Amino acid sequence: MCRLQKIRERQAENQGWSCIYCEQPMWRSDPAAFAVRHGLTLRRALLLQATAEHLVPASEGGEDVDDNIAAACLY
């Protein structure tokens, strides 16, 4: 697991596996099980995959550190 993935996992855990922006639940693996558990279509569930979001973009000098990464869904 790369550094950014580890930070994403920590941040998702700290956020209770809820998106930083929309507060929807997110998943790390097995989108089909996530869809069933939350009563969603698989298409909708795929949009709720946890990703790493740079608060200050890397293109603007933002680093891969805990204080600059939040977990967010694709939605």
Side-chain angles (χ1 to χ4, degrees):
M1 185 179 299
C2 78
R3 178 177 168 77
L4 188 56
Q5 290 173 320
K6 289 177 184 176
I7 295 170
R8 180 197 65 211
E9 294 290 313
R10 276 195 304 271
Q11 297 305 70
E13 190 68 35
N14 290 340
Q15 293 167 213
W17 286 93
S18 294
C19 176
I20 190 79
Y21 300 116
C22 68
E23 299 180 356
Q24 292 293 309
M26 299 182 298
W27 59 274
R28 169 185 30 199
S29 62
D30 199 353
F34 177 86
V36 169
R37 186 170 54 250
H38 292 281
L40 303 169
T41 64
L42 181 57
R43 186 175 182 178
R44 168 83 180 183
L46 290 173
L47 295 173
L48 295 172
Q49 180 179 8
T51 64
E53 176 77 11
H54 285 83
L55 302 175
V56 175
S59 64
E60 295 177 15
E63 298 180 37
D64 292 350
V65 295
D66 285 25
D67 290 344
N68 191 45
I69 301 293
C73 70
L74 298 171
Y75 191 63

